[in-house]
Amino acid sequence: MPEDRERLVDRLLIEELGQVMKTGMNLSGTKIPFSKTATGFGAKLGAKMSKTDVAEREMRLKTEPKDLLLKLYAWFAKNGRLAEEAEEGSMRVTGVIRAGLMNMSPVVLCGEIGDADEGRCGVHITGFAKEGLISQHAAEKGVAKLAELLGMLKA
């Protein structure tokens, strides 16, 4: 049974925040005993204490739904990673990219394709990111990155 979207988004953001923390520790040369446990715990704590920022955008595109689905898969493969395998017949893609200041903030993006008619379809893009005290607008920037690619297909 697939995870519900809220749990999936939280899990992905916690995993990615842990990766950002590990990268920072590796770059700084910090040697901490039990660092895997520490970064995992720190990521969970930080994610629970931070609010989740949400950004959305609707677009109408001049393309077939299956072609758009393939474009989304390719875009996530190049710019981030796919977060879950789509169920057969599903027209939803979820992936993780980096956005915000210096592309350090993980952003979960969901693209849901619908409203197909005569070589056109609609797509609803939703971005989720954890924000600290100083908002980096990472969710908005992530949605804008994906919308830029899709803008070439506008109806």
Side-chain angles (χ1 to χ4, degrees), residues 11-41:
R11 181 179 60 80
L12 291 170
L13 289 173
I14 288 169
E15 286 174 7
E16 292 296 319
L17 286 170
Q19 288 300 317
V20 170
M21 290 175 72
K22 286 178 189 173
T23 301
M25 287 176 60
N26 289 340
L27 290 174
S28 70
T30 305
K31 303 283 187 220
I32 298 177
F34 310 108
S35 63
K36 282 187 178 181
T37 305
T39 55
F41 177 74

Side-chain angles (χ1 to χ4, degrees), residues 5-6 8-10 12-13 51-58 75-76 92-100 105-112 123-131 135 137-147 150:
R5 187 161 88 168
E6 189 175 325
L8 175 67
V9 167
D10 281 343
L12 291 170
L13 289 173
K51 74 177 187 91
T52 302
D53 190 29
V54 180
E56 297 179 279
R57 187 175 294 184
E58 290 274 345
W75 187 83
F76 277 115
R92 183 176 98 180
V93 178
T94 303
V96 181
I97 66 164
R98 298 283 175 94
S105 297
V107 179
V108 175
L109 292 174
C110 300
E112 295 184 52
V123 64
H124 182 87
I125 306 166
T126 310
F128 304 89
K130 293 290 184 181
E131 295 287 356
S135 181
H137 307 284
E140 291 173 32
K141 290 176 182 176
V143 168
K145 281 183 179 184
L146 181 53
L150 299 178

Side-chain angles (χ1 to χ4, degrees), residues 58-63 120 147 149-155:
E58 290 274 345
M59 298 179 79
R60 191 94 181 121
L61 307 172
K62 193 187 321 183
T63 187
R120 296 169 191 236
L149 165 83
L150 299 178
M152 294 181 281
L153 306 171
K154 271 209 157 173

